[in-house]
Amino acid sequence: MIQQFWNTANQRDWDSFAALLHPSFHYRVPQTRECVNGRDHFVAFFRTWPGEWNVEITQLIADAHSAVSIIQFLSDEPAMTGISFFDFRDDLICGVTEYWPDPYEPPARATPYVERY
Amino acid sequence: MIQQFWNTANQRDWDSFAALLHPSFHYRVPQTRECVNGRDHFVAFFRTWPGEWNVEITQLIADAHSAVSIIQFLSDEPAMTGISFFDFRDDLICGVTEYWPDPYEPPARATPYVERY
């Protein structure tokens, strides 16, 4: 279901995308305290995302009630890492909570064991 | 096992903490491209973390091979959200890949449906 979520988004197949979502779907970005409430509003939010883009799933973990995907969001901008937590209701996706962790310069560390890769 | 990882860290019970980790344990922070290789180096990295701190688990998802926790890292600084992906080998934790997504100001959005909470 998570793979279908990203695949149908990549294909811009918004009818199939919407069919995965519960009518009371809600979307949250804790870093900005943004939210989108309702399936149709969320589909519009995704459908109108500007420019060319494509999503590649790099990791997927799921248990009976929740799931998380790590994606690379590829566009004209530098690739971004997205971490999306999915909630389910009635065999549909009823919520996504998403994080976009940016690169940053590390602080000084108390041990000499931290290397860079 | 993930709960024990954070509980023993909160208790500064470093022997019990180390007993959860595979000898070839590796730690990665993709945002800074930092890594710590080896169980003993990682325990030292954690053990020497400066100041008072305590971790609260807010979400946990696990399947047969991997797990993810979302934590609040509480200290004298503002609370930080940590997202930690765990890998397992021989019934021990053999790797943690960790993200620290900071708050940021949202860009303009193409739809009017994005609210703030």
Side-chain angles (χ1 to χ4, degrees):
Chain A
M1 189 166 238
I2 309 305
Q3 286 170 332
Q4 284 183 287
F5 177 90
W6 292 120
N7 286 346
T8 55
N10 279 337
Q11 293 156 6
R12 314 298 191 259
D13 179 357
W14 301 117
D15 288 343
S16 301
F17 181 82
L20 301 169
L21 309 181
H22 195 278
S24 67
F25 179 91
H26 56 90
Y27 174 73
R28 279 189 197 181
V29 181
Q31 290 169 279
T32 57
R33 306 190 73 80
E34 289 175 295
C35 59
V36 178
N37 292 305
R39 175 181 56 196
D40 299 342
H41 287 178
F42 181 70
V43 174
F45 173 67
F46 239 72
R47 188 171 42 75
T48 59
W49 200 271
E52 291 297 310
W53 54 269
N54 193 66
V55 166
E56 288 180 3
I57 301 176
T58 58
Q59 191 170 355
L60 188 52
I61 301 174
D63 66 18
H65 306 291
S66 306
V68 58
S69 68
I70 306 182
I71 59 163
Q72 290 294 301
F73 185 88
L74 307 172
S75 69
D76 294 339
E77 307 284 320
M80 290 170 60
T81 299
I83 306 175
S84 312
F85 290 84
F86 294 82
D87 293 311
F88 301 98
R89 190 195 301 176
D90 304 333
D91 294 323
L92 294 169
I93 300 169
C94 72
V96 171
T97 302
E98 201 160 73
Y99 298 87
W100 296 97
D102 273 328
Y104 63 91
E105 279 304 303
R109 301 300 191 182
T111 53
Y113 306 126
V114 182
E115 302 169 58
R116 303 294 289 275
Y117 66 90
Chain B
M1 189 166 237
I2 310 305
Q3 285 170 332
Q4 283 183 288
F5 177 91
W6 292 120
N7 287 344
T8 55
N10 279 337
Q11 294 156 5
R12 312 298 190 261
D13 179 358
W14 300 117
D15 288 344
S16 301
F17 181 81
L20 301 169
L21 309 181
H22 195 277
S24 67
F25 180 90
H26 57 92
Y27 174 73
R28 279 190 196 180
V29 181
Q31 290 169 278
T32 58
R33 306 189 73 80
E34 289 175 297
C35 59
V36 178
N37 291 304
R39 176 182 56 197
D40 298 343
H41 287 178
F42 181 70
V43 174
F45 173 68
F46 239 72
R47 188 172 41 75
T48 58
W49 199 271
E52 291 297 310
W53 55 269
N54 192 64
V55 166
E56 288 180 4
I57 300 176
T58 58
Q59 191 170 354
L60 189 51
I61 302 174
D63 67 18
H65 306 290
S66 307
V68 56
S69 67
I70 306 181
I71 58 163
Q72 290 295 300
F73 186 89
L74 306 172
S75 70
D76 293 339
E77 307 284 320
M80 289 170 61
T81 299
I83 306 175
S84 312
F85 291 85
F86 294 82
D87 294 311
F88 302 99
R89 190 195 301 177
D90 304 334
D91 294 324
L92 294 169
I93 300 168
C94 73
V96 170
T97 302
E98 201 159 73
Y99 297 87
W100 295 97
D102 273 329
Y104 63 92
E105 278 305 302
R109 301 300 191 183
T111 53
Y113 307 126
V114 181
E115 303 168 57
R116 302 294 289 275
Y117 65 90

